[in-house]
Amino acid sequence: MARRWQALAPRWRDQAAWGWSVFNDVHAMLALVGAGEPIQIEAGQRAIAAVPATAPAPWWREAGTVCEAVMAFGEGRHGHCAQQLLPLLPVAHGFGGSQAQRSLIYLTAMEAARRAGDAALWEALQSEAAARTAAAVPERPYRGIELKAA
């Protein structure tokens, strides 16, 4: 797994656009933490902290929190990671990206709770994930648009 992060980290490091997109900042931090690049992680932290409070989107403040949680996960502080991410789960849709990409934040919170030994939180997140999946799957499969022959 570390090889994958090491392949991704240079691509994110080279983009050097911290503070431009919450989605990009979080994914860059994931790659840098996964690859174990402390100097780049610190540079990202400083850049995110420097985003002005007047930034156009209200979720810019949360980007730093998500990145802090990712760093905590990488350092093995799983309980702290889960607690940082928990209040952000309902607003993750504002971070951009697809539902599948945003679910990475949710899955990280779930795995952090599991690794921290917080069975109650892990089970609650598991139940919520199952309910969300069930709600997203239609009762009968979508068959597409039927075209009639002319």
Side-chain angles (χ1 to χ4, degrees):
M1 184 66 97
R3 272 182 36 199
R4 288 184 181 181
W5 290 121
Q6 290 168 349
L8 285 173
R11 293 173 185 246
W12 282 109
R13 186 182 338 108
D14 294 342
Q15 63 105 15
W18 294 102
W20 177 75
S21 163
V22 175
F23 175 81
N24 286 348
D25 289 353
V26 169
H27 282 73
M29 189 61 72
L30 283 164
L32 296 172
V33 168
E37 295 197 12
I39 293 171
Q40 295 300 322
I41 292 167
E42 289 175 25
Q45 283 178 294
R46 285 192 305 274
I48 291 168
V51 173
T54 57
W59 43 82
W60 278 111
R61 292 181 302 279
E62 284 83 2
T65 304
V66 177
C67 288
E68 179 186 333
V70 167
M71 290 181 295
F73 189 96
E75 294 167 357
R77 297 182 296 123
H78 300 108
H80 180 73
C81 173
Q83 292 306 314
Q84 291 291 100
L85 292 178
L86 195 57
L88 300 179
L89 297 178
V91 298
H93 64 277
F95 296 165
S98 69
Q99 180 62 35
Q101 291 165 319
R102 288 188 306 271
S103 72
L104 187 58
I105 297 167
Y106 190 89
L107 293 170
T108 301
M110 194 181 323
E111 181 62 14
R114 187 189 70 77
R115 290 187 186 194
D118 190 338
L121 178 56
W122 182 78
E123 288 173 14
L125 291 171
Q126 280 280 106
S127 294
E128 185 178 333
R132 291 167 71 192
T133 300
V137 176
E139 206 169 291
R140 59 173 211 199
Y142 175 70
R143 301 208 191 293
I145 299 172
E146 293 182 26
L147 300 176
K148 294 183 180 181

